Amino acid sequence: MGSLGAILKHPDDLYPLLKLKMAAKHAEKQIPSEPHWAFCYSMLHRVSRSFAFVIQQLGTELRNAVCIFYLVLRALDTVEDDTSIPTDVKVPILIAFHRHIYDRNWHFSCGTKDYKVLMDQFHDVSTAFLELGKGYQEAIEDITKRMGAGMAKFICKEVETIDDYDEYCHYVAGLVGMGLSKLFHASELEDLASDSISNSMGLLLQKTNIIRDYLEDINEIPKSRMFWPREIWSKYVNKLEDLKYEENSVEAVQCLNDMVTNSLMHVDDCLKYMSALREPAIFRFCAIPQVMAIGTLAMCYNNINVFRGVVKMRRGLTAQVFHRTKTMADVYGAFFDFSCVLKSKVDKNDPNATKTLSSLEAVQKTCRESGALNKRKSYILRNELKYNSVLIVLLFIILSIIFAYLSANRSSY
């Protein structure tokens, strides 16, 4: 749930952590009884616990459609990610994947751990898919077909330019945003959002993941996975893998900041998309990952540890995002707060400092002009030394009770 030291340092995290843990336990109990649906929801919990929690807030019909949409695309992504599959085998599977989802008997063994289980038992996903309404099926098939073709294209093509980067991210994530918009519309709960802003919703998430996962991707065995565009990294090093070496630390951080700055261009579209949503459950489903993305970018910016290990938001802060993200005012507040964190880390000597600051000021201007900043409690920026005394006292009472209980048991032996 989070270490005691972290909770003592950030006592406001305690309640959201407890609430998130209880919600996760509740979500695990909501698994359907039918074997194929039970497999789908169990697998969802195994491959993405955070997504499995957020999706539980949706109504049953839409939740089932989004669950299957996620698993189909996760399976497609597993084929793309498996660098041990020969290209002449992989490409035809990616291109034909949208047809396989209609085949109750199709499966293809690849991937590792939980992803291998997903691929080995993909027939359960297909069975569940065939029980969805026709509108949901058509939306999932369309996006799967377009994504598979796009992935196949980039199997044989490197990400050279920023346009290539945007195109790749469109295929693997922008299409997800567009597909979700189609599912929301098919449910008759939302108007159909434009492809442009739906695409941006996916791109902000995907670019954040690509930035955060640099080291994991570059160290992939048997072959590195390289998604950072040459047009950006070639300004700083001769080879993309050179960024992970200590002697290139200055250049690595400058390249990282360039990548983060590039991702900020999608923020305005994302705010527009979320502000148009009407259904509270769909809003939270969409908003929580976006707040996590801007928070992760704030953690990664100007941070050499991106090239040394894993950089992510602490669990308590993640729990606070889940707990507090309920309205558009909360979203504007979070984006404003995290943009302030980012802004405070900008080095005026960074080659992209002017561009970065301009992008951040544009985000802050949008958030201010919403008129919502004074309608929510700021939970990101606060004096970390001002601890919540009530929670501190509560923690010590709990620890005292535990200590007394253990001492009594020890003395009875």
Side-chain angles (χ1 to χ4, degrees):
M1 186 178 75
S3 70
L4 179 60
I7 293 173
L8 287 172
K9 188 175 180 183
H10 308 279
D12 286 348
D13 292 351
L14 180 59
Y15 177 68
L17 278 167
L18 289 171
K19 189 170 181 181
L20 183 62
K21 191 172 184 65
M22 289 188 291
K25 290 290 184 183
H26 177 72
E28 289 174 4
K29 295 177 181 178
Q30 302 305 304
I31 294 175
S33 58
E34 299 95 327
H36 52 288
W37 281 108
F39 172 79
C40 290
Y41 276 97
S42 297
M43 186 54 55
L44 189 65
H45 282 281
R46 291 164 68 176
V47 299
S48 180
R49 293 185 66 186
S50 59
F51 186 83
F53 167 70
V54 177
I55 198 179
Q56 290 297 331
Q57 300 171 93
L58 300 174
T60 303
E61 180 184 296
L62 180 57
R63 180 173 69 240
N64 286 344
V66 173
C67 173
I68 299 308
F69 183 48
Y70 181 90
L71 291 177
V72 166
L73 298 188
R74 178 60 73 179
L76 184 64
D77 191 54
T78 299
V79 175
E80 185 214 19
D81 283 350
D82 193 332
T83 53
S84 68
I85 304 174
T87 299
D88 61 340
V89 174
K90 180 182 292 190
V91 169
I93 294 174
L94 293 174
I95 292 173
F97 208 90
H98 67 286
R99 292 197 293 271
H100 296 317
I101 62 179
Y102 285 95
D103 184 351
R104 296 177 189 268
N105 298 313
W106 185 87
H107 62 90
F108 179 75
S109 186
C110 65
T112 59
K113 300 178 181 177
D114 289 332
Y115 301 104
K116 185 178 188 305
V117 176
L118 171 62
M119 297 305 299
D120 287 342
Q121 294 184 234
F122 191 77
H123 53 273
D124 282 326
V125 179
S126 296
T127 299
F129 167 79
L130 291 170
E131 293 180 2
L132 299 177
K134 189 170 179 61
Y136 294 128
Q137 288 183 4
E138 290 174 349
I140 294 171
E141 179 189 4
D142 174 57
I143 297 301
T144 304
K145 179 179 181 179
R146 293 160 69 182
M147 185 179 291
M151 286 178 169
K153 177 179 179 178
F154 276 91
I155 292 297
C156 309
K157 175 183 178 181
E158 291 193 1
V159 180
E160 296 282 347
T161 66
I162 292 174
D163 284 345
D164 290 340
Y165 181 45
D166 286 341
E167 184 182 11
Y168 172 76
C169 290
H170 162 73
Y171 285 130
V172 300
L175 285 171
V176 179
M178 293 162 63
L180 286 171
S181 292
K182 289 175 181 288
L183 295 180
F184 299 156
H185 185 246
S187 73
E188 300 183 350
L189 294 171
E190 300 287 352
D191 294 330
L192 182 60
S194 73
D195 284 350
S196 176
I197 62 174
S198 299
N199 186 60
S200 287
M201 288 285 283
L203 263 62
L204 181 60
L205 299 181
Q206 183 65 20
K207 289 185 176 184
T208 299
N209 290 340
I210 285 173
I211 291 166
R212 182 198 61 199
D213 295 341
Y214 164 85
L215 193 63
E216 178 185 339
D217 289 337
I218 207 71
N219 288 336
E220 180 75 21
I221 295 173
K223 182 181 178 183
S224 295
R225 301 168 66 227
M226 296 185 282
F227 304 116
W228 291 31
R230 182 185 296 271
E231 186 177 340
I232 290 180
W233 61 255
S234 63
K235 293 186 285 184
Y236 307 96
V237 288
N238 293 323
K239 294 184 292 184
L240 182 58
E241 57 264 36
D242 291 344
L243 294 173
K244 68 180 180 179
Y245 300 124
E246 194 168 343
E247 61 268 26
N248 297 321
S249 293
V250 173
E251 292 82 1
V253 168
Q254 290 177 346
C255 183
L256 167 65
N257 294 346
D258 202 341
M259 291 286 290
V260 172
T261 301
N262 170 272
S263 68
L264 294 174
M265 67 187 287
H266 304 293
V267 170
D268 189 58
D269 275 353
C270 292
L271 292 174
K272 287 178 182 174
Y273 184 100
M274 290 182 282
S275 66
L277 295 172
R278 298 191 305 259
E279 169 62 35
I282 292 176
F283 172 79
R284 276 177 52 77
F285 172 80
C286 294
I288 289 171
Q290 297 296 329
V291 173
M292 291 293 296
I294 191 67
T296 301
L297 290 175
M299 300 301 108
C300 290
Y301 185 84
N302 213 40
N303 189 346
I304 189 62
N305 290 320
V306 169
F307 305 98
R308 306 288 181 264
V310 179
V311 173
K312 58 183 179 180
M313 293 166 59
R314 70 175 192 275
R315 293 184 68 182
L317 186 52
T318 297
Q320 289 218 36
V321 169
F322 274 78
H323 174 59
R324 294 186 183 275
T325 307
K326 298 174 182 175
T327 68
M328 197 60 207
D330 299 323
V331 171
Y332 283 126
F335 271 75
F336 183 85
D337 289 344
F338 279 125
S339 66
C340 287
V341 173
L342 263 162
K343 196 172 181 180
S344 71
K345 296 170 72 175
V346 176
D347 182 346
K348 297 294 176 64
N349 295 317
D350 186 271
N352 295 283
T354 301
K355 187 176 180 181
T356 307
L357 290 170
S358 177
S359 296
L360 292 171
E361 285 160 6
V363 173
Q364 293 178 339
K365 182 173 182 288
T366 299
C367 294
R368 285 195 196 95
E369 290 179 348
S370 72
L373 293 185
N374 61 348
K375 298 178 182 178
R376 103 296 177 214
K377 178 183 176 183
S378 174
Y379 62 96
I380 308 298
L381 300 178
R382 62 186 185 274
N383 187 340
E384 300 291 359
L385 297 177
K386 293 182 179 178
Y387 297 149
N388 184 313
S389 59
V390 175
L391 287 174
I392 291 292
V393 170
L394 179 61
L395 276 172
F396 276 109
I397 290 173
I398 293 171
L399 289 173
S400 298
I401 292 171
I402 294 172
F403 179 75
Y405 174 78
L406 293 175
S407 297
N409 281 351
R410 194 178 299 116
S411 62
S412 65
Y413 287 110

